[in-house]
């Protein structure tokens, strides 16, 4: 009763009886008490957990290709292909985790189970490496590759890394959403904290990967694989213990059942009534009576798009007869709130598709940027800079731009608009991210033009063959970092805000699958470019010896494709209509994320 009374009074009390208004519950399934659950106490626990888990994951992933070539004796092409398969599998498993979370387990249970699988995979990898694969002792560096291994030991290695892929993939889309669940967006103050959480969440990810890319990456590059893997295991175990330690403090949304069946039910029911004459407007459509309980998911308000789907909620004479008999088939008659869930997902798809090409740009940082850097001057005095370590400038850029956006840009925009609402909307920030991504590709292309100008054309291996310093890559890495803050953070916020309460983890999984598809499309694009550019015995744009190619043209091609994608994105964002939830505060279209120029 206390929750209902607070809602009716229209006040948000901080006493022990005041409950959240977004439908969250505590660990016992009771309405969550605002003062004793969630907020930044739970949020910080989840942020630290994410940083430690990211450190553990990238401690394995950042140098996995070197492990395959030096320890398992695979050639470069096979090793690169195996790493691509493994990375793609991580993102595919994100859909599995999101499905289990939204449908059956809930986000807390899903995070705990997949983190346990993650730790198990890391322990198995550490043990198998130390006991079986790093033989003879001390092997694994560039100078001392390891010997051959039995099929059983190799099979145990693959089992370990795919357990890691399963654990991390199933955990990632849920932990971001679970962190956002700790803030009640029906309260203005907590709503602003929820928006800030996504920025700090992405910062935690980058800080974790910074340690992996530098300290752990250095040890592993020197062949000290066992220490690197055990450090990752310890970090993942600490993350799991910390996560479980905050159990009593967390807020939860109850799972909603299988979303795939609900989606299919709407399509089938609408098709069965394709010839029915519909009434004007959204009146007289079927809707279930919402139970008066504070732990119900918020109702989605009716919208006028995708009119065909409204047929699924149209009550025909046959449905009336069935209702009199106490019968309702979900494959013939669906509540309008269920229909609106399907509409929400369909509206998100054009925006999501536009983010895939951005991920093509982002993935160059781990591939072509590194190859470009290896063909530049990488020495300062007697110290050699690993080309992959230049990604540290991306991470530093992310940290700088997160604080720049949160502390300077966002307040200034809000002041200019003379509004208490947030500054730039999620869609606007994603558009800015695409613009900066174009600048990143232009910067990379210009640097490559100058690298070729100072390069030795006859260099057989092209590593370090140009006298142009690798530090000229800093602008392109910094631009990628800035674009991430606007694109990926905005994307996390957008999909979390624009998906129904029962599909929040699916929204986060969309972000991860766009990265996965971006990787696959990048590989496809490189293959097409090389096939066309190597015609008539030409070396192609991206040959083994970059000094004989034109990597700059590939970068400029990406800049053009991203510019086209930006135009399509603007059109899609203008068309997009925000989800409208029944709640205490009803946001305007602009506040909920619509794109305004």
């Amino acid at each position: 009763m206390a929750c209902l009374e607070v809602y009716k009074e229209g006040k948000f009390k901080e006493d022990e009886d005041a409950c959240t208004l977004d439908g969250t519950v505590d660990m016992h399934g009771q309405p969550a008490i605002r003062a004793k659950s969630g907020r930044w106490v739970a949020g910080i626990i989840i942020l630290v957990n994410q940083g430690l888990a990211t450190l553990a994951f990238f401690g394995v992933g950042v140098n996995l290709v070197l492990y395959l070539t030096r320890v398992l004796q695979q050639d470069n092409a096979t090793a690169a292909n195996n790493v691509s398969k493994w990375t793609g599998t991580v993102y595919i498993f994100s859909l599995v985790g999101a499905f289990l979370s939204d449908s059956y387990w809930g986000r807390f249970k899903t995070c705990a189970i997949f983190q346990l699988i993650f730790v198990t995979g890391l322990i198995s990898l550490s043990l198998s490496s130390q006991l079986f694969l790093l033989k003879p002792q001390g092997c694994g560096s560039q100078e001392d590759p390891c010997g051959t291994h039995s099929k059983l030991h190799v099979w145990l290695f693959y089992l370990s890394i795919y357990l890691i892929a399963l654990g991390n993939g199933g955990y990632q889309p849920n932990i971001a959403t679970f962190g956002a669940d700790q803030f009640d967006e029906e309260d203005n103050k907590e709503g602003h904290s929820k928006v800030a959480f996504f920025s700090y969440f992405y910062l935690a990810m980058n800080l974790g990967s910074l340690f992996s890319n530098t300290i752990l990456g250095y040890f592993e590059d020197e062949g000290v694989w066992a220490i690197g893997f055990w450090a990752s295991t310890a970090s993942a175990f600490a993350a799991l213990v910390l996560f479980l330690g905050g159990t009593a403090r967390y807020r939860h949304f109850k799972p909603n059942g299988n979303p795939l069946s609900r989606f299919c039910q709407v399509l089938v029911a609408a098709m069965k009534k394709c010839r029915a004459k519909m009434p004007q407007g959204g009146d007289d459509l079927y809707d279930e009576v919402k139970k008066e309980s504070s732990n119900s998911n918020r109702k989605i308000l009716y919208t006028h798009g995708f009119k065909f789907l409204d047929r699924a909620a149209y009550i025909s004479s046959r449905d009336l007869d069935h209702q009199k008999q106490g019968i309702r088939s979900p494959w013939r008659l669906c509540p309008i709130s269920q229909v609106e869930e399907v509409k929400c997902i369909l509206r998100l798809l054009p925006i999501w598709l536009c983010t895939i090409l951005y991920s093509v740009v982002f993935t160059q940082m781990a591939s072509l940027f590194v190859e470009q850097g290896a063909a530049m001057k990488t020495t300062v005095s007697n110290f050699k800079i690993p080309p992959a370590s230049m990604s540290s400038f991306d991470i530093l850029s992310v940290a700088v731009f997160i604080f720049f956006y949160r502390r300077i840009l966002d307040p200034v925009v809000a002041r200019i608009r003379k509004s208490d609402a947030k500054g730039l909307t999620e869609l606007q920030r994603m558009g800015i991210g695409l613009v900066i991504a174009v600048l990143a590709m232009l910067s990379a292309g210009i640097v490559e033009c100058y690298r070729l100008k100072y390069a030795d054309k006859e260099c057989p291996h092209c590593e370090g063959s140009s006298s142009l310093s690798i530090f000229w890559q800093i602008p392109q890495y910094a631009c990628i970092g800035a674009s991430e803050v606007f694109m990926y953070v905005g994307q996390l916020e957008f999909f979390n805000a624009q998906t129904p309460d029962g599909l929040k983890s699916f929204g986060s999984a969309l972000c991860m699958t766009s990265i996965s598809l971006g990787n696959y499309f990048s590989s496809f694009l490189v293959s097409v470019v090389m096939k066309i550019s190597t015609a008539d015995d030409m070396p192609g744009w991206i040959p083994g010896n970059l000094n004989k190619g034109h990597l700059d043209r590939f970068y400029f091609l990406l800049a053009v494709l991203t510019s086209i994608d930006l135009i399509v994105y603007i059109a899609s964002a203008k068309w997009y209509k925000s989800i409208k939830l029944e709640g205490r505060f009803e946001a305007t279209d602009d506040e909920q994320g619509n794109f305004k120029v």
Side-chain angles (χ1 to χ4, degrees), residues 303-343:
T303 58
H304 292 282
F306 298 102
K307 288 286 189 178
F308 175 78
L309 296 177
D310 290 348
R311 297 175 181 273
Y314 172 65
I315 305 175
S316 65
S317 56
R318 184 176 174 182
D319 294 325
L320 287 173
D321 292 338
H322 286 170
Q323 280 187 338
K324 291 177 182 178
Q325 301 173 22
I327 302 172
R328 181 182 74 84
S329 171
W331 296 93
R332 182 171 179 83
L333 181 63
C334 303
I336 189 62
S337 56
Q338 184 177 338
V339 174
E340 289 299 322
E341 277 190 1
V342 179
K343 290 182 181 181

Side-chain angles (χ1 to χ4, degrees), residues 195-212:
V195 172
F197 173 82
F198 286 106
S199 296
Y200 297 135
F201 180 85
Y202 200 76
L203 178 61
M205 286 179 60
N206 279 270
L207 291 178
S209 63
L210 176 63
F211 185 86
S212 299

